[in-house]
Amino acid sequence: MRLAAHQPQYLPWLGFFDKMDRVDLFAILDTVQYKKNEWQNRNRIRTADGWQWLTVPVHYRYPMSLREVAIDDSSAWRRKHREALRTHYGRAPHAATLLEPLLSLLERPVENLTDLNVQSIRLLAARLGVSTPIVLASSLEGLPDGADARLIALCRRLGCDAYLAGAGGQDYMDLRAYRDAGIEVAFQAFRHPVYRQVYEGFEPGLSAVDFLANCGSSSFGRVRELREAAA
């Protein structure tokens, strides 16, 4: 059994779902510390000028965990996100099947950032055909604080003897600790597909919303084909 883990992101990019698709279980690290100006409360969509952020405002005090971060609904961010999605993807080939559930998600009165992110992850994963079971770290008691110790404990608790890390993990993971624990570590090598977007040119690294709106729910096979070609 292979495990991967990641912080819950808002409307994640394709690489997030490629990682999820490669494993048997996917852990959402909602107990780790929230980081400002990263992907936990924002992501990017395509526009005529390139791309723009969709940012969820939050109430945050250092050193809150992701599970503790509340959404700040004092502004009309939900309406602005819905309007941006309609404006920039309303004419996309597969907008009709994507926008309705996505806009409906953004209308729900969710108060916690992790809950919103997990809902967006589940929605996009289902649309992409990624069916890997998801486990929340907060559902498991007594996980250690250290990054490597936490991941090793997750593998043990969930009965996994292999772990898939992000490509950058080679720079900071203590691989000897995993070997000593009997856990095989591999690293993700994601190849981004190039596809026709609503506007001229191609912007990589956007929310998976862009891929789904332009290519449709049956197109995640392109990501898998690139993965197999690189193997």
Side-chain angles (χ1 to χ4, degrees):
M1 289 268 288
R2 177 186 274 190
L3 176 74
H6 211 289
Q7 298 91 345
Q9 295 182 346
Y10 178 60
L11 302 175
W13 76 307
L14 271 180
F16 184 100
F17 295 102
D18 172 72
K19 190 177 185 183
M20 182 187 295
D21 190 55
R22 293 171 183 242
V23 297
D24 302 293
L25 283 173
F26 190 78
I28 296 289
L29 300 175
D30 59 335
T31 56
V32 302
Q33 186 177 313
Y34 171 78
K35 294 182 180 180
K36 294 177 65 177
N37 302 322
E38 291 200 5
W39 304 97
Q40 296 162 354
N41 70 317
R42 63 180 185 171
N43 223 302
R44 304 185 305 159
I45 63 170
R46 184 66 205 274
T47 71
D49 298 320
W51 55 265
Q52 76 173 62
W53 289 110
L54 293 185
T55 301
V56 180
V58 297
H59 295 291
Y60 163 72
R61 296 188 311 277
Y62 179 85
M64 278 184 172
S65 71
L66 273 160
R67 171 52 66 183
E68 298 172 300
V69 176
I71 295 171
D72 180 0
D73 277 323
S74 63
S75 68
W77 71 269
R78 296 175 191 271
R79 176 181 57 78
K80 291 177 181 178
H81 287 203
R82 292 195 302 268
E83 288 178 352
L85 290 166
R86 288 193 191 98
T87 297
H88 297 296
Y89 293 115
R91 293 178 294 146
H94 300 275
T97 58
L98 174 66
L99 286 185
E100 182 177 349
L102 185 55
L103 298 179
S104 177
L105 183 151
L106 291 171
E107 291 173 353
R108 297 174 194 164
V110 180
E111 298 179 355
N112 179 276
L113 179 64
T114 290
D115 291 343
L116 174 67
N117 289 357
V118 170
Q119 288 183 29
S120 79
I121 290 166
R122 291 188 185 279
L123 187 155
L124 296 179
R127 293 282 160 175
L128 290 165
V130 176
S131 57
T132 305
I134 293 173
V135 178
L136 297 182
S138 59
S139 69
L140 303 172
E141 296 182 358
L143 292 175
D145 291 331
D148 291 313
R150 181 189 300 112
L151 294 176
I152 290 169
L154 277 170
C155 287
R156 286 173 166 165
R157 293 276 194 96
L158 298 172
C160 296
D161 57 5
Y163 181 76
L164 178 66
Q170 299 179 69
D171 298 331
Y172 58 82
M173 293 176 69
D174 180 1
L175 297 180
R176 178 177 293 180
Y178 292 84
R179 286 194 296 269
D180 291 345
I183 298 168
E184 179 184 351
V185 178
F187 296 94
Q188 180 189 19
F190 175 63
R191 295 181 64 186
H192 203 302
V194 177
Y195 54 90
R196 181 184 292 274
Q197 295 176 329
V198 174
Y199 301 105
E200 289 296 321
F202 179 72
E203 289 282 349
L206 305 178
S207 166
V209 168
D210 188 85
F211 180 79
L212 281 165
N214 287 291
C215 301
S217 296
S218 63
S219 296
F220 195 70
R222 295 170 63 178
V223 175
R224 295 180 177 126
E225 289 170 3
L226 288 171
R227 180 197 312 164
E228 292 171 3

Short mmCIF file of all heavy atoms in Angstrom, two decimals, residues 81-120:
data_model
loop_
_atom_site.label_atom_id
_atom_site.label_comp_id
_atom_site.label_asym_id
_atom_site.label_seq_id
_atom_site.Cartn_x
_atom_site.Cartn_y
_atom_site.Cartn_z
N HIS A 81 -15.54 35.32 -6.61
CA HIS A 81 -15.01 34.08 -7.20
C HIS A 81 -15.99 33.50 -8.21
O HIS A 81 -15.58 33.05 -9.29
CB HIS A 81 -14.72 33.05 -6.10
CG HIS A 81 -13.51 33.39 -5.28
ND1 HIS A 81 -12.79 32.44 -4.57
CD2 HIS A 81 -12.88 34.57 -5.05
CE1 HIS A 81 -11.79 33.02 -3.95
NE2 HIS A 81 -11.83 34.31 -4.21
N ARG A 82 -17.28 33.52 -7.87
CA ARG A 82 -18.28 32.98 -8.80
C ARG A 82 -18.31 33.82 -10.08
O ARG A 82 -18.38 33.27 -11.19
CB ARG A 82 -19.66 32.96 -8.14
CG ARG A 82 -19.78 31.96 -6.99
CD ARG A 82 -21.23 31.71 -6.61
NE ARG A 82 -21.94 32.90 -6.23
CZ ARG A 82 -22.04 33.34 -4.98
NH1 ARG A 82 -21.44 32.68 -3.99
NH2 ARG A 82 -22.72 34.44 -4.70
N GLU A 83 -18.25 35.14 -9.93
CA GLU A 83 -18.28 36.01 -11.11
C GLU A 83 -17.04 35.79 -11.98
O GLU A 83 -17.13 35.75 -13.21
CB GLU A 83 -18.36 37.47 -10.68
CG GLU A 83 -19.73 37.86 -10.11
CD GLU A 83 -19.76 39.30 -9.65
OE1 GLU A 83 -18.68 39.95 -9.63
OE2 GLU A 83 -20.85 39.78 -9.27
N ALA A 84 -15.87 35.63 -11.35
CA ALA A 84 -14.64 35.40 -12.11
C ALA A 84 -14.71 34.08 -12.87
O ALA A 84 -14.31 33.99 -14.04
CB ALA A 84 -13.43 35.41 -11.17
N LEU A 85 -15.23 33.05 -12.23
CA LEU A 85 -15.34 31.75 -12.89
C LEU A 85 -16.33 31.81 -14.06
O LEU A 85 -16.07 31.26 -15.14
CB LEU A 85 -15.78 30.69 -11.88
CG LEU A 85 -14.72 30.33 -10.83
CD1 LEU A 85 -15.34 29.54 -9.69
CD2 LEU A 85 -13.58 29.54 -11.47
N ARG A 86 -17.44 32.50 -13.87
CA ARG A 86 -18.40 32.64 -14.97
C ARG A 86 -17.80 33.45 -16.11
O ARG A 86 -17.96 33.11 -17.29
CB ARG A 86 -19.68 33.34 -14.48
CG ARG A 86 -20.57 32.52 -13.57
CD ARG A 86 -21.92 33.19 -13.40
NE ARG A 86 -22.73 32.61 -12.35
CZ ARG A 86 -22.82 33.09 -11.12
NH1 ARG A 86 -22.14 34.19 -10.78
NH2 ARG A 86 -23.58 32.50 -10.22
N THR A 87 -17.12 34.54 -15.78
CA THR A 87 -16.56 35.43 -16.80
C THR A 87 -15.51 34.72 -17.64
O THR A 87 -15.52 34.80 -18.88
CB THR A 87 -15.93 36.67 -16.14
OG1 THR A 87 -16.95 37.40 -15.45
CG2 THR A 87 -15.26 37.57 -17.17
N HIS A 88 -14.59 34.00 -17.00
CA HIS A 88 -13.44 33.46 -17.71
C HIS A 88 -13.64 32.04 -18.22
O HIS A 88 -12.88 31.60 -19.10
CB HIS A 88 -12.20 33.55 -16.82
CG HIS A 88 -11.84 34.95 -16.47
ND1 HIS A 88 -11.45 35.88 -17.42
CD2 HIS A 88 -11.84 35.62 -15.28
CE1 HIS A 88 -11.20 37.03 -16.83
NE2 HIS A 88 -11.43 36.90 -15.53
N TYR A 89 -14.64 31.33 -17.69
CA TYR A 89 -14.85 29.96 -18.16
C TYR A 89 -16.25 29.71 -18.72
O TYR A 89 -16.55 28.60 -19.14
CB TYR A 89 -14.57 28.97 -17.02
CG TYR A 89 -13.13 28.95 -16.62
CD1 TYR A 89 -12.72 29.38 -15.36
CD2 TYR A 89 -12.14 28.51 -17.51
CE1 TYR A 89 -11.38 29.37 -15.00
CE2 TYR A 89 -10.81 28.51 -17.16
CZ TYR A 89 -10.43 28.94 -15.90
OH TYR A 89 -9.10 28.94 -15.56
N GLY A 90 -17.08 30.75 -18.75
CA GLY A 90 -18.44 30.57 -19.24
C GLY A 90 -18.50 30.08 -20.68
O GLY A 90 -19.45 29.40 -21.07
N ARG A 91 -17.46 30.40 -21.48
CA ARG A 91 -17.44 29.98 -22.89
C ARG A 91 -16.53 28.77 -23.12
O ARG A 91 -16.31 28.38 -24.28
CB ARG A 91 -16.99 31.14 -23.77
CG ARG A 91 -18.00 32.29 -23.82
CD ARG A 91 -17.45 33.42 -24.68
NE ARG A 91 -16.27 34.02 -24.08
CZ ARG A 91 -15.23 34.52 -24.75
NH1 ARG A 91 -15.22 34.47 -26.07
NH2 ARG A 91 -14.20 35.07 -24.12
N ALA A 92 -15.98 28.20 -22.07
CA ALA A 92 -15.13 27.02 -22.22
C ALA A 92 -15.95 25.83 -22.69
O ALA A 92 -17.14 25.73 -22.40
CB ALA A 92 -14.44 26.70 -20.89
N PRO A 93 -15.34 24.89 -23.42
CA PRO A 93 -16.09 23.79 -24.01
C PRO A 93 -16.87 22.95 -23.01
O PRO A 93 -17.93 22.41 -23.33
CB PRO A 93 -15.00 22.95 -24.70
CG PRO A 93 -13.89 23.90 -24.95
CD PRO A 93 -13.92 24.88 -23.82
N HIS A 94 -16.36 22.81 -21.79
CA HIS A 94 -17.00 21.93 -20.81
C HIS A 94 -17.51 22.70 -19.58
O HIS A 94 -17.67 22.12 -18.51
CB HIS A 94 -16.03 20.83 -20.39
CG HIS A 94 -15.58 19.99 -21.54
ND1 HIS A 94 -16.30 18.90 -22.01
CD2 HIS A 94 -14.49 20.10 -22.36
CE1 HIS A 94 -15.66 18.36 -23.04
NE2 HIS A 94 -14.57 19.07 -23.28
N ALA A 95 -17.77 23.97 -19.77
CA ALA A 95 -18.22 24.81 -18.65
C ALA A 95 -19.56 24.34 -18.10
O ALA A 95 -19.79 24.39 -16.88
CB ALA A 95 -18.34 26.26 -19.11
N ALA A 96 -20.44 23.88 -18.97
CA ALA A 96 -21.80 23.53 -18.54
C ALA A 96 -21.81 22.46 -17.46
O ALA A 96 -22.62 22.50 -16.52
CB ALA A 96 -22.63 23.08 -19.74
N THR A 97 -20.91 21.48 -17.56
CA THR A 97 -20.91 20.38 -16.59
C THR A 97 -20.07 20.67 -15.36
O THR A 97 -20.21 19.99 -14.35
CB THR A 97 -20.38 19.09 -17.25
OG1 THR A 97 -19.05 19.33 -17.77
CG2 THR A 97 -21.29 18.64 -18.38
N LEU A 98 -19.21 21.69 -15.43
CA LEU A 98 -18.32 21.99 -14.30
C LEU A 98 -18.82 23.13 -13.44
O LEU A 98 -18.79 23.06 -12.20
CB LEU A 98 -16.92 22.32 -14.81
CG LEU A 98 -15.92 22.80 -13.73
CD1 LEU A 98 -15.62 21.67 -12.76
CD2 LEU A 98 -14.65 23.32 -14.38
N LEU A 99 -19.27 24.21 -14.07
CA LEU A 99 -19.54 25.43 -13.31
C LEU A 99 -20.69 25.27 -12.32
O LEU A 99 -20.62 25.82 -11.21
CB LEU A 99 -19.83 26.59 -14.27
CG LEU A 99 -18.61 27.16 -15.00
CD1 LEU A 99 -19.01 28.37 -15.83
CD2 LEU A 99 -17.50 27.54 -14.02
N GLU A 100 -21.73 24.55 -12.68
CA GLU A 100 -22.88 24.44 -11.78
C GLU A 100 -22.48 23.87 -10.42
O GLU A 100 -22.78 24.48 -9.37
CB GLU A 100 -23.98 23.61 -12.41
CG GLU A 100 -25.22 23.51 -11.52
CD GLU A 100 -26.35 22.74 -12.17
OE1 GLU A 100 -26.28 22.46 -13.38
OE2 GLU A 100 -27.33 22.42 -11.47
N PRO A 101 -21.82 22.69 -10.34
CA PRO A 101 -21.43 22.20 -9.01
C PRO A 101 -20.38 23.05 -8.32
O PRO A 101 -20.38 23.17 -7.09
CB PRO A 101 -20.89 20.79 -9.31
CG PRO A 101 -20.53 20.80 -10.75
CD PRO A 101 -21.50 21.73 -11.41
N LEU A 102 -19.50 23.66 -9.09
CA LEU A 102 -18.46 24.50 -8.50
C LEU A 102 -19.05 25.77 -7.90
O LEU A 102 -18.71 26.16 -6.77
CB LEU A 102 -17.41 24.84 -9.55
CG LEU A 102 -16.18 25.61 -9.09
CD1 LEU A 102 -15.48 24.90 -7.94
CD2 LEU A 102 -15.22 25.83 -10.25
N LEU A 103 -19.95 26.40 -8.63
CA LEU A 103 -20.59 27.61 -8.11
C LEU A 103 -21.48 27.29 -6.92
O LEU A 103 -21.58 28.07 -5.98
CB LEU A 103 -21.40 28.28 -9.22
CG LEU A 103 -20.59 28.78 -10.43
CD1 LEU A 103 -21.51 29.39 -11.47
CD2 LEU A 103 -19.51 29.76 -10.01
N SER A 104 -22.09 26.11 -6.96
CA SER A 104 -22.91 25.68 -5.83
C SER A 104 -22.05 25.49 -4.58
O SER A 104 -22.46 25.87 -3.47
CB SER A 104 -23.63 24.37 -6.18
OG SER A 104 -24.37 23.89 -5.08
N LEU A 105 -20.86 24.93 -4.75
CA LEU A 105 -19.95 24.76 -3.62
C LEU A 105 -19.62 26.11 -2.99
O LEU A 105 -19.57 26.25 -1.76
CB LEU A 105 -18.67 24.06 -4.09
CG LEU A 105 -17.60 23.72 -3.04
CD1 LEU A 105 -16.81 22.49 -3.48
CD2 LEU A 105 -16.63 24.88 -2.83
N LEU A 106 -19.41 27.12 -3.83
CA LEU A 106 -19.02 28.44 -3.33
C LEU A 106 -20.18 29.18 -2.69
O LEU A 106 -19.97 30.24 -2.08
CB LEU A 106 -18.42 29.27 -4.46
CG LEU A 106 -17.06 28.78 -4.95
CD1 LEU A 106 -16.65 29.52 -6.21
CD2 LEU A 106 -16.00 28.95 -3.87
N GLU A 107 -21.38 28.68 -2.81
CA GLU A 107 -22.54 29.29 -2.16
C GLU A 107 -22.81 28.69 -0.79
O GLU A 107 -23.59 29.25 -0.02
CB GLU A 107 -23.77 29.12 -3.05
CG GLU A 107 -23.72 29.96 -4.33
CD GLU A 107 -24.88 29.65 -5.27
OE1 GLU A 107 -25.64 28.70 -4.99
OE2 GLU A 107 -25.02 30.35 -6.29
N ARG A 108 -22.18 27.58 -0.47
CA ARG A 108 -22.44 26.92 0.81
C ARG A 108 -21.83 27.73 1.96
O ARG A 108 -20.74 28.26 1.84
CB ARG A 108 -21.84 25.51 0.81
CG ARG A 108 -22.46 24.58 -0.22
CD ARG A 108 -21.72 23.26 -0.27
NE ARG A 108 -22.09 22.50 -1.46
CZ ARG A 108 -21.40 21.46 -1.93
NH1 ARG A 108 -20.30 21.06 -1.30
NH2 ARG A 108 -21.81 20.83 -3.02
N PRO A 109 -22.50 27.79 3.09
CA PRO A 109 -22.02 28.58 4.23
C PRO A 109 -20.95 27.85 5.04
O PRO A 109 -21.12 27.55 6.21
CB PRO A 109 -23.30 28.80 5.05
CG PRO A 109 -24.12 27.57 4.77
CD PRO A 109 -23.85 27.21 3.33
N VAL A 110 -19.82 27.54 4.39
CA VAL A 110 -18.72 26.86 5.07
C VAL A 110 -17.87 27.89 5.80
O VAL A 110 -17.48 28.90 5.21
CB VAL A 110 -17.86 26.09 4.04
CG1 VAL A 110 -16.70 25.38 4.73
CG2 VAL A 110 -18.71 25.10 3.26
N GLU A 111 -17.58 27.67 7.07
CA GLU A 111 -16.86 28.66 7.88
C GLU A 111 -15.39 28.33 8.06
O GLU A 111 -14.60 29.22 8.40
CB GLU A 111 -17.53 28.76 9.25
CG GLU A 111 -18.99 29.24 9.18
CD GLU A 111 -19.63 29.32 10.55
OE1 GLU A 111 -18.98 28.91 11.54
OE2 GLU A 111 -20.78 29.79 10.64
N ASN A 112 -15.00 27.08 7.86
CA ASN A 112 -13.63 26.64 8.12
C ASN A 112 -12.89 26.43 6.81
O ASN A 112 -13.41 25.82 5.88
CB ASN A 112 -13.68 25.33 8.93
CG ASN A 112 -12.31 24.79 9.25
OD1 ASN A 112 -11.71 24.10 8.43
ND2 ASN A 112 -11.80 25.10 10.43
N LEU A 113 -11.65 26.95 6.70
CA LEU A 113 -10.89 26.85 5.46
C LEU A 113 -10.63 25.41 5.05
O LEU A 113 -10.77 25.05 3.88
CB LEU A 113 -9.56 27.60 5.60
CG LEU A 113 -8.65 27.56 4.36
CD1 LEU A 113 -9.29 28.26 3.17
CD2 LEU A 113 -7.28 28.16 4.68
N THR A 114 -10.25 24.57 6.00
CA THR A 114 -9.99 23.17 5.66
C THR A 114 -11.22 22.50 5.10
O THR A 114 -11.14 21.75 4.12
CB THR A 114 -9.46 22.41 6.89
OG1 THR A 114 -8.14 22.86 7.19
CG2 THR A 114 -9.42 20.91 6.63
N ASP A 115 -12.38 22.76 5.69
CA ASP A 115 -13.61 22.15 5.19
C ASP A 115 -13.89 22.58 3.76
O ASP A 115 -14.28 21.76 2.91
CB ASP A 115 -14.79 22.52 6.09
CG ASP A 115 -14.70 21.87 7.46
OD1 ASP A 115 -13.92 20.90 7.61
OD2 ASP A 115 -15.39 22.34 8.40
N LEU A 116 -13.71 23.87 3.47
CA LEU A 116 -13.90 24.36 2.11
C LEU A 116 -12.92 23.68 1.15
O LEU A 116 -13.30 23.23 0.06
CB LEU A 116 -13.71 25.87 2.06
CG LEU A 116 -13.75 26.51 0.66
CD1 LEU A 116 -15.15 26.40 0.05
CD2 LEU A 116 -13.29 27.96 0.71
N ASN A 117 -11.65 23.61 1.54
CA ASN A 117 -10.64 23.02 0.68
C ASN A 117 -10.91 21.55 0.41
O ASN A 117 -10.77 21.08 -0.72
CB ASN A 117 -9.25 23.20 1.29
CG ASN A 117 -8.77 24.64 1.24
OD1 ASN A 117 -9.44 25.51 0.69
ND2 ASN A 117 -7.62 24.89 1.81
N VAL A 118 -11.28 20.81 1.45
CA VAL A 118 -11.55 19.38 1.27
C VAL A 118 -12.75 19.19 0.35
O VAL A 118 -12.75 18.29 -0.51
CB VAL A 118 -11.77 18.70 2.64
CG1 VAL A 118 -12.28 17.27 2.45
CG2 VAL A 118 -10.47 18.69 3.43
N GLN A 119 -13.76 20.04 0.48
CA GLN A 119 -14.91 19.94 -0.43
C GLN A 119 -14.48 20.21 -1.87
O GLN A 119 -14.92 19.52 -2.80
CB GLN A 119 -16.00 20.92 0.00
CG GLN A 119 -16.72 20.52 1.28
CD GLN A 119 -17.84 21.48 1.64
OE1 GLN A 119 -18.44 22.11 0.78
NE2 GLN A 119 -18.12 21.59 2.93
N SER A 120 -13.62 21.21 -2.06
CA SER A 120 -13.17 21.51 -3.42
C SER A 120 -12.29 20.38 -3.96
O SER A 120 -12.37 20.04 -5.15
CB SER A 120 -12.41 22.85 -3.45
OG SER A 120 -11.08 22.74 -3.00
#
